[in-house]
Amino acid sequence: MAMNIRLEHLRKEFAGTVALDDLSITFQSGKLTTLLGPSGCGKSTLLNLISGILPVSGGGIFFSDKEVTKLPPDKRNVGLVFQNYALYPHMSVCDNIAFPLEIKKVPKAKRRERAYELAQLLQISDYFERKPSQLSGGQQQRVAIARALAKEPDILLLDEPLSNLDARLRLEMREEIRRLQLKTGITTIFVTHDQEEALSISDYILLMRKGIIQQYGVPQELYDKPANSFVADFLGNPPINMFNVTVEGTDRLATEDGIVFHYPTGALEPGRKVQFGVRSEAFTVTDQADLGTPALVSNVFLNGKETLYLLQIGGQSVRATFNGSVRFGQGDTILVSVGGSHSHLFDAESGAVL
Ligand SMILES: Nc1ncnc2c1ncn2[C@@H]1O[C@H](COP(=O)(O)OP(=O)(O)OP(=O)(O)O)[C@@H](O)[C@H]1O
Ligand SMILES: [Mg+2]
């Protein structure tokens, strides 16, 4: 039975360093939540607290209605795949997968049967008798995941399980993890610092920074409605363009070097300094001289399915992608306007969306 994971005012300090601060959140039962954030933001620490490998400094952890804050790891029924997955080198694939069952004193024939089922599920049954050194990185990774699933955990925690794989294998493996998660319906937390990976396989994303929650929601929500400039900047490829601007009236923003964007500023008071975040797809080409902002095309990159334009707007380099059959070359001066849902204003100090 799938369980939710509820964290209440969770806190973790390491000798004075605060790794996680006042974290309260519920990870939904049966869903895959991605834990995303830059290196050092506390992702592994959070998994280690949930699995019980590390004690908390404060707050509580609940699996559905049961408090587990002080339970030892082996009483939590959590499957954990570490950031650097460690298989037992002297044991076969079968014995590696079955190891948690051996600890549980499951009879040998039964262990083997269960290990084989899991190997089939992860498509590694052809290598059942091999040693880890005779497997590719991706195959070893799958053994580690099968081992984590062997004890039929209520919760599966995966700490950057794909970090050692090449791009193609990584793509295949993440699809496989998603397939497996949907098939088993197990509540899963998947750690990555790859935003594209997070956007592609998650039911929910939790984005953290320096041990503090920045935003929690479905992927599209974080992309379309970022809570602050950090979230906007972290998600999206190419990264969002950020301008420091001053509000001028109800429909104009001016950059530091006097470039004007025609953009609705709502109730913001004139003269206020704000950050203007514009995703590459929010730019359109216009021929209305009074509404357009001049931009110099400084480079054009064919990027497979779309063309990426590097523009100079005032003193700033800007990345833009245009719809349809727009074609420009290096050195052209064009007029662009910004609109639609992929542009946002942020408070200059706090970064909070306005
Ligand atoms: N055992 C420890 N002792 C002291 N500080 C620690 C310890 N473990 C982690 N930290 C610190 O806690 C913070 C969070 O570390 P954590 O390993 O959770 O980050 P992370 O988000 O998993 O990063 P990465 O993406 O690099 O794996 C870091 O500042 C780290 O230096
Ligand atoms: Mg980590």
Side-chain angles (χ1 to χ4, degrees):
M1 189 191 61
M3 292 191 172
N4 72 28
I5 305 166
R6 188 158 48 89
L7 309 178
E8 284 189 358
H9 304 291
L10 200 63
R11 180 178 176 82
K12 182 63 184 174
E13 286 177 33
F14 294 104
T17 326
V18 180
L20 294 173
D21 195 14
D22 199 23
L23 211 102
S24 294
I25 191 167
T26 301
F27 295 101
Q28 298 300 325
S29 160
K31 301 292 183 190
L32 190 156
T33 302
T34 295
L35 200 51
L36 184 65
S39 186
C41 74
K43 302 183 296 295
S44 296
T45 302
L46 185 53
L47 293 200
N48 290 336
L49 295 181
I50 293 171
S51 65
I53 289 174
L54 286 176
V56 307
S57 307
I61 303 172
F62 300 79
F63 293 168
S64 290
D65 287 328
K66 186 178 171 205
E67 173 151 23
V68 300
T69 318
K70 300 228 159 63
L71 279 187
D74 60 332
K75 295 269 161 30
R76 296 193 188 191
N77 204 23
V78 168
L80 174 63
V81 176
F82 288 99
Q83 193 159 359
N84 291 308
Y85 52 95
L87 299 176
Y88 303 108
H90 57 286
M91 288 188 195
S92 68
V93 166
C94 170
D95 292 341
N96 263 286
I97 298 174
F99 189 72
L101 302 176
E102 197 177 332
I103 292 187
K104 278 191 168 178
K105 308 235 178 334
V106 174
K108 186 160 186 198
K110 185 85 195 145
R111 290 200 306 258
R112 226 188 130 73
E113 192 184 317
R114 176 77 186 130
Y116 195 74
E117 276 170 25
L118 284 164
Q120 282 182 313
L121 186 65
L122 283 141
Q123 298 170 4
I124 44 172
S125 52
D126 288 353
Y127 320 115
F128 204 52
E129 303 300 342
R130 287 199 198 170
K131 298 275 163 61
S133 62
Q134 298 166 310
L135 301 175
S136 75
Q139 291 158 352
Q140 290 182 40
Q141 193 65 68
R142 279 177 263 183
V143 177
I145 294 169
R147 186 175 59 189
L149 289 171
K151 59 181 173 184
E152 297 181 24
D154 298 314
I155 287 161
L156 183 62
L157 306 176
L158 303 168
D159 195 352
E160 303 213 36
L162 311 180
S163 53
N164 299 328
L165 307 182
D166 71 37
R168 180 180 290 257
L169 198 53
R170 207 179 157 108
L171 188 71
E172 281 173 18
M173 276 300 295
R174 82 183 186 206
E175 286 164 359
E176 227 160 278
I177 286 174
R178 180 57 161 161
R179 176 180 62 80
L180 186 80
Q181 189 274 328
L182 289 171
K183 187 165 175 182
T184 56
I186 188 169
T187 308
T188 302
I189 304 180
F190 177 92
V191 170
T192 181
H193 52 238
D194 180 336
Q195 50 103 11
E196 204 191 316
E197 199 157 275
L199 288 170
S200 71
I201 69 164
S202 320
D203 293 307
Y204 298 93
I205 295 177
L206 171 62
L207 180 50
M208 298 205 305
R209 179 195 197 188
K210 295 182 183 165
I212 294 171
I213 294 176
Q214 301 297 303
Q215 195 167 355
Y216 177 52
V218 302
Q220 201 66 42
E221 194 177 328
L222 270 75
Y223 187 80
D224 290 343
K225 297 192 175 101
N228 58 43
S229 56
F230 178 82
V231 177
D233 189 43
F234 203 87
L235 293 177
N237 187 21
I240 194 166
N241 302 287
M242 286 287 186
F243 300 90
N244 294 319
V245 295
T246 305
V247 174
E248 293 190 345
T250 57
D251 60 354
R252 283 158 61 99
L253 299 167
T255 67
E256 282 155 343
D257 35 34
I259 305 289
V260 170
F261 290 102
H262 295 268
Y263 191 83
T265 59
L268 297 177
E269 68 270 27
R272 178 164 174 184
K273 292 195 185 322
V274 296
Q275 270 190 306
F276 185 34
V278 185
R279 294 212 186 272
S280 65
E281 64 269 32
F283 288 102
T284 51
V285 179
T286 176
D287 50 14
Q288 288 182 273
D290 53 335
L291 291 180
T293 301
L296 174 69
V297 178
S298 60
N299 232 321
V300 181
F301 299 99
L302 269 177
N303 187 14
K305 62 186 195 306
E306 60 187 12
T307 308
L308 178 68
Y309 291 86
L310 200 61
L311 308 176
Q312 285 296 126
I313 296 182
Q316 195 164 336
S317 288
V318 172
R319 293 188 184 88
T321 46
F322 300 121
N323 278 333
S325 57
V326 177
R327 289 286 174 273
F328 301 107
Q330 201 174 357
D332 290 348
T333 296
I334 58 176
L335 289 175
V336 297
S337 61
V338 176
S341 54
H342 292 136
S343 53
H344 314 275
L345 295 171
F346 303 103
D347 184 81
E349 299 290 310
S350 70
V353 75
L354 297 170

